Amino acid sequence: MKIMFYNTKPYDRYWFEPMAKDYGFEVHFVEMQCDEETLFLAKGYDAICIFVNDYVDAAMTELLYEMGVKAILLRCAGYNNVDIKAAEGKIHILRVPNYSPEAVAEFSMALLLTVNRFTHRAYARTRDYNMNINGFMGTDLFKKTAGVVGTGKIGQAMIRILKGFQMKIVAYDPYPNPALDVTYVSLEELMKQSDIISLHCPLTDDTRHLVNQKTIGLMKKGVYLVNTSRGALIDTEALIDGLLEKKFAGVGLDVYEEEEGVFYEDRSNEIIKDENLVRLTSFPNVLITSHMGFFTKEATRAIAQITLENAYALEMGNPLVNEVLPDRD
Ligand code: NAD
């Protein structure tokens, strides 16, 4: 099998290159994002492998089909960036549904602890021998209420961590899990009751802008918000308004609505045109990271392994256990 890897960085080769060799796959890595302009590179390949900020819309799916590409291998869990309906019956879409929920949950907690206790800013101060702690007063998490939106794999890992801090957990999920020792409430109740809110649901038509002017209005003053799921779960403009109104004590974002083309790249010498992103980075109580919740040795190894297993299953005609289909998802 010949696979074209789009949007790659040196760390992508770390696991994929040796593992692909073991499978006997011919792989080619390019740095370019997968989009209309770079799609032609897929000609002559059996599959393309893409990441969170690549996209394949209906027209691109048709072109891939004409080129003879048989599969889109998503080296991630989310699949909001591909047109599943357009691909049905033409191109297989295979993803990595489960690699290390702990990696993302632990990172969510890291964001929460950092924005709460300002360790990132303290680091900068002490390196400059400014040992003043003004402005760094945080909040105990002990016995506070944490609201978890989405109690799938990552949400559950997050709940385990939050319970370690002896927090009370309320959760919202349209498909509650009766095996979980949490109190399920409506989304509105979760917004009202929570001292911290952590988002762990996928981006769908139902969840787009789940955090908006109305839901922010329901939140407690001094709430903490963490999003490691997908940027568009939050209406950025409403978030900025909430920050200006001092609604939030702290906000940790590993994802951002308009992250495509900015995240994962070094834009330090450029003029940033996205005014919302510039505004967000200006708040002292907002921490933005570049979609790196998944970035541990264990998670990246599992991503490479499962992505290549998906390709191997396709090559061998085995059941495609990780296929994304419109009627199933
Ligand atoms: P999962 O499928 O195991 O769980 C998602 C949960 O969300 C399910 O329980 C589902 O019922 C629930 N859900 C669906 N619609 C909902 C709604 N309207 N409101 C509330 N909950 C809803 O997925 P997961 O593995 O836990 O991953 C969650 C998300 O995390 C992914 O969709 C992806 O966007 C994101 N993610 C981010 C990173 C990162 O590096 N930051 C890495 C992996 C995954």
Side-chain angles (χ1 to χ4, degrees), residues 77-78 80 95 97 99 101 104 149-155 172-175 200-204 206-207 210 228-230 254-255 264 291-295:
N80 53 288
R95 67 174 183 133
Y99 44 91
V104 186
V149 181
T151 55
K153 294 175 286 293
I154 298 172
Y172 170 70
D173 194 308
Y175 308 98
H200 300 290
C201 57
L203 176 62
T204 63
D206 288 341
T207 61
L210 176 142
T228 56
S229 280
R230 284 293 180 267
D254 187 42
V255 285
Y264 300 122
H291 205 144
M292 56 182 278
F294 72 98
F295 204 42

Side-chain angles (χ1 to χ4, degrees), residues 3-68:
I3 310 171
M4 164 61 72
F5 282 72
Y6 282 96
N7 221 336
T8 60
K9 296 277 185 277
Y11 50 79
D12 286 302
R13 293 171 178 234
Y14 186 80
W15 297 114
F16 272 110
E17 216 158 33
M19 286 187 190
K21 210 172 167 187
D22 290 346
Y23 275 104
F25 293 155
E26 196 181 320
V27 290
H28 190 73
F29 297 91
V30 293
E31 285 182 25
M32 281 168 281
Q33 186 194 15
C34 179
D35 57 25
E36 289 89 346
E37 285 180 14
T38 61
L39 200 68
F40 73 93
L41 292 170
K43 201 168 167 47
Y45 286 84
D46 300 302
I48 62 167
C49 182
I50 63 171
F51 196 44
V52 289
N53 290 327
D54 294 301
Y55 65 89
V56 180
D57 61 19
M60 291 164 74
T61 306
E62 204 54 46
L63 285 172
L64 285 174
Y65 181 59
E66 284 168 18
M67 282 187 232

Side-chain angles (χ1 to χ4, degrees), residues 73 88 106 116 145-146 154 175 207 216 239-240 263 267 280 297 321:
L73 304 170
E88 196 179 15
E106 288 170 14
N116 177 18
T145 299
I154 298 172
Y175 308 98
T207 61
I216 291 172
L239 177 67
I240 291 171
F263 277 25
R267 304 262 179 236
L280 277 178
K297 283 199 254 350
V321 289

